[in-house]
Amino acid sequence: MSTRREGPRHGIHDTAPAVRWEDGFLSGNGECGLIALGDPAAERLIVNHHRFVLPNGSRGMAPPAVADRLDEVRDLVLAGDAKAAQRAFSDGRRLAWTQPFHPGFVVELDRSNPAPVRDYRRETDFRTGEVSAAWTDIAGAWRSRAFVSRADRVLVYELAGPALDLAVRLSGDLPGRPAGVGYSCVVEVGDAREVLITLRGTYPAGPGAYGFTGVTRLVTVDGPVGQEGDRAVVRGASRLLLVTVLDRADGPPDERLLRERLHVLPAEYEQLLSRHTALHTAMYDRVELDLGVSPTERAQPVGELLAAQVRDPGVSPALLEVMFHAGRYTLISSSGVLPPRLTGLWLGEWGAAWSGDFTTDANLNLQLAAASTTALPEVVASLRALIADQIADWRENARAVFGARGVLAPSRTDGEHGRLFHLDAQWPWAMWVAGADWLLFPLLEHWQVTGDDEFLAGPLAPWLVEAALFFEDFLAREDEHGSLVLVPSYSPEVGPAGRAGAAAVNATMDIAAARHALSAAVEACARLGIEEAAAARWQTLLKRLPEYVVDEHGALAEWAWPGLTTPDDHRHVSHLYPVWPLHEITADATPELAAAAHRALVRRGDENLSAHGSLHRALCAARLKAPDLVEANLAKILGNDMVFRSLMTSHNPGLQTYNADAAHAIPAVLVEALVDSRPGVVELFPALPPRWARGRIRGVRCRNRVTVDELAWDLDRSTGCVVLSSDVDVTVSLRCSRARGPISRGEPVPVAAGEPVRLELDLDG
């Protein structure tokens, strides 16, 4: 493994193969994924593809055409009859689910007469994207290694040893495979050292795709390869190479094109790897975190690292440091043609929870929270691609449901369309009007980080305009004081306490989304010199939006409407949208509302300790400068048996349900605790937990064209330093409440283009 030995480690290792697929080590290129179990005798390589979803009839479903009932529904909600309003707005449909994400197949490599092994070690190298295993037996030393190429869009595996005596087969027999999904495997011998193995999977007949195909090219270096039924058999070679390509189509996939893709590639592992690392390593190396962990702790196998956290009543800096790097690694590896799914890009059995889709009311944005600040524009591009493919469906949703211009986003998608169909009378998703603004925010953040006006002009500004147009049409009611009323309104996935039904008025998330959508569109239009008349209308609407409400407990209320009570226990904290990610409520600019938001965060119970809930809370806690809550919410993940040996995470304690929410959101939490930024402001150590007493982070991108090239600190010595740079001339207010001197209050710091600025910090311990 090429992991550097000085400083933070950029990989993990284990001393035993994975017993179950969830502990398998991971590689991916944003389109295809690989899970390697690392068994010397019977290796299993599970292959995945982002677009492998099982047809279930939902691809043709449309949003409810209920715009003609809107006034009736609004009257019902305002009268307090939420259940009747939900029935009227669901058009009588039953809850339908997105097409479920499913695994592809498994590449089986079975050795003949394997001998006992010693000195076993399997690894994931975050910098190269490789998973590997090495061991020794009576015959000598063996090594396997694999990666998924970002350059060539193929999965690559190599096995080398004294004398390979094994059979290779592609199998669709993975747990939970529906009876109607069939598969077959065919081996075709090309010459003495090469074969093609083809797996053909077929879906049940009906609406949706026909099936999926995988083609593997097997090449040996110096030994013959033959065929025994549906297996390729290798005898006596010292090395073999497998290169695999996947596809899925509405009709039988064109295998000729797949074979051509394989045959134009060099049958040489190192050459294929170098083409891949030129892209992958460049992305990964942009940011690094060092929490002052000892070399001994960094050298621990992953099993010992996780066991040490069980014994630690707090949050282990050693585990946090490697989770930061692992989270960026899997975020990179699962983002490309699409952003990460609920399972990232990996799945080892059929029947994924929640269809393994893109759940957009919380989970997707939480997984993408570190994309811009940890310098991964490629990840943002995957979200842009998803939205671009579905924006026409968002327009259809707005017209059908509200009779409105603009866009209305769904609460979930399988990646094939964005029509709003997942709803019924109990789950009123047609009433969630914040979705488009919420999903566009990561793109707006990318513009804040990069200043890319070409990106702003197209596609972002036109989409922001459409989000504003929706609210312009939607905001048609007012209260007795002349303030606009958001009705119907829905706070995901919860209703007011002590009342039947979730349909409500003035959900805090919806108010925040309306305010942000209108103001973001005004800013973008002013920047580009477009839509002046519309921008003037939106500025008038902004002045009439309802204010946030602080309830009798001193907490930010979930609904700004009389009689609607915030529940004490729920996994979602959508009403903190003005805190994170919007920066609308901050401790500096709106201290009273910030105190109320903090109170809301403390009062909210965890319900079932869902991973996304804890990480959402941690991100809000960082914005509210509450390091104790940052650490407490990280501890809910790391201290509750929610991390697999792959460092992928689970949705609930006890390793229940493979899920990428925590894995991908943890890097964002650490960044937010160390560096907060918004236009004109960079704040250092806003929520630094005491156990992070010493460390360094480099490469953080700020939402104002500034990069924190380095931020180092040692609280025991009361010292630190920060290096800022920018590609344009910019002046920011640099703040650090831990520092003594002018910087503690916010010191203007000019940063000239291409000229880094270094400042020494005198810190409180």
Side-chain angles (χ1 to χ4, degrees), residues 185-230:
C185 182
V186 176
V187 178
E188 301 169 69
V189 178
D191 58 36
R193 295 182 183 176
E194 182 168 337
V195 301
L196 283 179
I197 313 174
T198 302
L199 183 138
R200 302 179 180 101
T202 54
Y203 299 132
Y210 170 87
F212 57 94
T213 296
V215 182
T216 294
R217 179 186 177 197
L218 187 160
V219 181
T220 61
V221 172
D222 52 8
V225 57
Q227 174 189 359
E228 292 182 2
D230 63 354

Side-chain angles (χ1 to χ4, degrees), residues 9-23:
R9 66 172 180 174
H10 293 277
I12 53 173
H13 75 276
D14 205 350
T15 55
V19 175
R20 55 183 179 176
W21 70 265
E22 293 94 337
D23 290 326

Side-chain angles (χ1 to χ4, degrees), residues 61 90-97 421-425:
M61 290 184 176
S90 68
D91 74 359
R93 68 176 61 200
R94 303 175 70 174
L95 191 69
W97 280 86
F421 68 89
H422 176 77
L423 66 127
D424 63 7

Side-chain angles (χ1 to χ4, degrees), residues 13-133:
H13 75 276
D14 205 350
T15 55
V19 175
R20 55 183 179 176
W21 70 265
E22 293 94 337
D23 290 326
F25 283 179
L26 307 173
S27 182
N29 67 351
E31 180 180 26
C32 299
L34 172 70
I35 307 172
L37 275 62
D39 188 332
E43 175 63 291
R44 297 295 181 262
L45 306 170
I46 302 170
V47 300
N48 298 123
H49 192 291
H50 242 320
R51 298 197 185 276
F52 280 15
V53 293
L54 178 65
N56 65 358
S58 67
R59 189 162 77 169
M61 290 184 176
V66 291
D68 59 335
R69 305 178 193 174
L70 182 55
D71 283 335
E72 172 195 354
V73 167
R74 282 174 165 157
D75 290 340
L76 287 168
V77 176
L78 290 168
D81 196 346
K83 297 289 284 185
Q86 291 169 207
R87 286 193 299 271
F89 221 44
S90 68
D91 74 359
R93 68 176 61 200
R94 303 175 70 174
L95 191 69
W97 280 86
T98 48
Q99 301 174 106
F101 180 52
H102 69 80
F105 51 88
V106 58
V107 182
E108 301 176 347
L109 295 97
D110 292 309
R111 289 179 59 198
S112 303
N113 303 313
V117 305
R118 63 182 186 276
D119 302 326
Y120 178 89
R121 180 183 175 105
R122 65 182 177 122
E123 303 180 348
T124 304
D125 187 329
F126 301 155
R127 297 190 65 248
T128 65
E130 289 177 282
V131 292
S132 62

Side-chain angles (χ1 to χ4, degrees), residues 341-362:
R341 295 176 174 273
L342 287 173
T343 63
L345 181 51
W346 302 278
L347 194 63
E349 61 188 18
W350 293 72
W354 306 286
S355 286
D357 65 11
F358 305 93
T359 306
T360 60
D361 64 325

Side-chain angles (χ1 to χ4, degrees), residues 52-412:
F52 280 15
V53 293
L54 178 65
N56 65 358
S58 67
R59 189 162 77 169
M61 290 184 176
V66 291
D68 59 335
R69 305 178 193 174
L70 182 55
D71 283 335
E72 172 195 354
V73 167
R74 282 174 165 157
D75 290 340
L76 287 168
V77 176
L78 290 168
D81 196 346
K83 297 289 284 185
Q86 291 169 207
R87 286 193 299 271
F89 221 44
S90 68
D91 74 359
R93 68 176 61 200
R94 303 175 70 174
L95 191 69
W97 280 86
T98 48
Q99 301 174 106
F101 180 52
H102 69 80
F105 51 88
V106 58
V107 182
E108 301 176 347
L109 295 97
D110 292 309
R111 289 179 59 198
S112 303
N113 303 313
V117 305
R118 63 182 186 276
D119 302 326
Y120 178 89
R121 180 183 175 105
R122 65 182 177 122
E123 303 180 348
T124 304
D125 187 329
F126 301 155
R127 297 190 65 248
T128 65
E130 289 177 282
V131 292
S132 62
W135 64 92
T136 303
D137 65 14
I138 193 170
W142 299 77
R143 184 189 186 193
S144 68
R145 49 183 181 161
F147 67 96
V148 186
S149 173
R150 189 168 283 269
D152 296 310
R153 299 174 54 223
V154 293
L155 301 94
V156 183
Y157 172 85
E158 182 187 69
L159 175 64
L164 307 185
D165 187 1
L166 54 84
V168 181
R169 176 173 177 260
L170 307 186
S171 172
D173 245 346
L174 286 166
R177 178 172 60 90
V181 176
Y183 74 91
S184 61
C185 182
V186 176
V187 178
E188 301 169 69
V189 178
D191 58 36
R193 295 182 183 176
E194 182 168 337
V195 301
L196 283 179
I197 313 174
T198 302
L199 183 138
R200 302 179 180 101
T202 54
Y203 299 132
Y210 170 87
F212 57 94
T213 296
V215 182
T216 294
R217 179 186 177 197
L218 187 160
V219 181
T220 61
V221 172
D222 52 8
V225 57
Q227 174 189 359
E228 292 182 2
D230 63 354
R231 299 176 181 228
V233 179
V234 178
R235 304 293 185 211
S238 64
R239 188 164 76 249
L240 68 79
L241 182 75
L242 304 178
V243 185
T244 300
V245 63
L246 310 175
D247 194 18
R248 175 182 181 273
D250 286 349
D254 190 338
E255 293 178 11
R256 178 181 55 82
L257 292 178
L258 300 181
R259 296 172 186 216
E260 288 177 1
R261 282 181 55 192
L262 291 176
H263 282 296
V264 298
L265 295 176
E268 174 53 52
Y269 184 94
E270 289 293 342
Q271 190 174 344
L272 293 171
L273 178 65
S274 66
R275 287 149 64 144
H276 163 70
T277 55
L279 301 174
H280 174 93
T281 307
M283 295 167 65
Y284 179 84
D285 277 351
R286 293 170 190 155
V287 173
E288 182 177 75
L289 175 71
D290 181 338
L291 288 179
V293 177
S294 72
T296 300
E297 289 178 292
R298 286 181 177 140
Q300 294 178 97
V302 66
E304 293 180 15
L305 191 65
L306 295 173
Q309 176 61 72
V310 172
R311 299 188 297 269
D312 194 327
V315 177
S316 161
L319 183 55
L320 265 184
E321 184 184 272
V322 73
M323 289 292 291
F324 177 90
H325 296 123
R328 286 189 73 250
Y329 167 69
T330 53
L331 178 60
I332 291 167
S333 302
S334 58
S335 300
V337 299
L338 291 167
R341 295 176 174 273
L342 287 173
T343 63
L345 181 51
W346 302 278
L347 194 63
E349 61 188 18
W350 293 72
W354 306 286
S355 286
D357 65 11
F358 305 93
T359 306
T360 60
D361 64 325
N363 311 64
L364 179 57
N365 282 37
L366 289 165
Q367 289 198 42
L368 299 178
S372 287
T373 55
T374 69
L376 296 175
E378 298 89 347
V379 173
V380 179
S382 70
L383 176 63
R384 171 185 174 173
L386 177 70
I387 294 173
D389 283 347
Q390 302 191 358
I391 196 73
D393 294 334
W394 292 15
R395 296 183 189 115
E396 181 184 346
N397 297 337
R399 287 193 301 269
V401 177
F402 288 101
R405 297 170 296 168
V407 288
L408 179 68
S411 64
R412 56 190 341 113

